Amino acid sequence: MDLLLIKAVILGILEGLTEFLPISSTGHLIIAGSLLGYTDETSRVFKIVIQLAAILAICWEYRRKLIDVTAGLGREPAANRFVLHVLVAFMPAAVLGFLFHGIIKTYLFNPLTVAGALIVGGVIILVIERRNHTPRYETTDDLDWRAALKVGFAQAIAMFPGVSRSGATIMGGLVFGLSRRAATEFSFFLAIPTMIAATAYDVYKNWALLRVEDLPVFAAGFVASFLAAFFSVRWLLRYISSHTFELFAWYRIVFGLFVLASAWFGWVDWADH
């Protein structure tokens, strides 16, 4: 198999596995892309494509919910309320992302910045998980617009690479009164408009980089990401039914420290990646 196809499959699997876990898919792709030497301009478009695949996996997993909401929109209060809450939560990231997207991509997308964010985010998860939680919203249908907006502002923090969009959203949900499952599922639903908008914006900005000859590489990464995301989401929902998110916090801290140690001891010269 062509080496580039192997890299595409590895990165696709990595994106799918990490996109909805609170460990930062973007951070992992930046680090893995650096190690694999896949950091050219084409790789930027590739990462957009595999993120879209992960989102489509969510759409497939929750297709019945999405179909019911679409069919009831404008007629059923529950469907209208669901869409309103997702859009309200989406707005902070949409506005701040539009204003600061270029600055963040230029100055913060590097392995050492990601490593620091992984560690700090892990510590924050541990602090949140060790508080007493008394959920006020057991399901996503119980949310009000105020809680949705607060979760939306939490998601916006994840524009800093390495924070984790799902991690910020889930932890924000727990802080603002959502049950563990409701926070996780709302993170899934909120990812749909957030990442579709980010994908569309990135495709528009990088349209000139799209090439027909890259189609096999993109297709391999797309399929790998879709399948990995599908199984990752199902596993996560089973896992949180009887566990906290502390395992992910410790993983973030250990992984971040390893990346920093690799730079400190000269194992990897991240400046050359």
Side-chain angles (χ1 to χ4, degrees):
M1 184 184 291
D2 183 83
L3 181 59
L4 192 55
L5 283 177
I6 295 175
K7 292 180 181 180
V9 171
I10 292 172
L11 292 173
I13 293 173
L14 189 62
E15 160 63 24
L17 290 177
T18 60
E19 180 59 52
F20 302 105
L21 303 182
I23 57 175
S24 179
S25 62
T26 300
H28 280 72
L29 289 180
I30 291 171
I31 292 170
S34 294
L35 291 174
L36 292 172
Y38 191 38
T39 58
D40 59 9
E41 290 188 331
T42 303
S43 72
R44 285 156 41 194
V45 183
F46 172 79
K47 290 170 185 175
I48 297 168
V49 170
I50 60 177
Q51 283 183 337
L52 178 61
I55 285 301
L56 292 180
I58 280 290
C59 293
W60 177 255
E61 176 66 11
Y62 286 94
R63 61 191 180 280
R64 174 50 54 195
K65 170 77 171 181
L66 297 176
I67 290 171
D68 289 345
V69 167
T70 301
L73 196 58
R75 298 184 295 105
E76 297 180 7
N80 295 339
R81 188 168 58 251
F82 176 84
V83 172
L84 173 64
H85 293 162
V86 171
L87 290 178
V88 165
F90 164 69
M91 289 310 297
V95 173
L96 294 174
F98 178 79
L99 293 175
F100 299 109
H101 178 272
I103 295 174
I104 292 170
K105 286 264 186 177
T106 301
Y107 296 106
L108 298 180
F109 272 56
N110 64 79
L112 298 184
T113 300
V114 167
L118 285 170
I119 295 168
V120 173
V123 172
I124 291 173
I125 291 175
L126 289 177
V127 171
I128 292 174
E129 281 288 21
R130 292 177 184 185
R131 301 171 61 219
N132 290 325
H133 296 289
T134 305
R136 297 192 302 276
Y137 311 101
E138 288 294 340
T139 72
T140 55
D141 292 331
D142 297 331
L143 279 178
D144 57 42
W145 70 267
R146 296 176 185 84
L149 182 61
K150 292 174 183 176
V151 174
F153 276 109
Q155 175 183 245
I157 299 172
M159 290 190 301
F160 194 103
V163 169
S164 169
R165 188 208 59 78
S166 61
T169 309
I170 293 170
M171 291 301 109
L174 293 180
V175 169
F176 298 127
L178 279 70
S179 69
R180 199 172 301 279
R181 186 178 182 93
T184 303
E185 289 194 330
F186 193 66
S187 172
F188 295 162
F189 295 133
L190 185 52
I192 296 173
T194 300
M195 292 182 63
I196 287 178
T199 298
Y201 183 75
D202 276 335
V203 168
Y204 169 75
K205 296 289 287 186
N206 297 285
W207 184 258
L209 300 177
L210 292 172
R211 301 180 305 178
V212 174
E213 53 265 39
D214 292 323
L215 185 59
V217 174
F218 285 15
F222 185 95
V223 172
S225 177
F226 181 93
L227 294 175
F230 179 79
F231 289 109
S232 177
V233 165
R234 290 199 165 184
W235 174 83
L236 179 62
L237 289 174
R238 289 196 300 272
Y239 179 83
I240 63 168
S241 66
S242 56
H243 298 82
T244 71
F245 289 97
E246 290 192 15
L247 174 66
F248 303 108
W250 286 115
Y251 170 81
R252 291 175 63 107
I253 292 169
V254 171
F255 185 37
L257 288 173
F258 177 78
V259 172
L260 293 181
S262 71
W264 179 266
F265 292 108
W267 303 334
V268 180
D269 186 357
W270 293 106
D272 290 338
H273 286 74

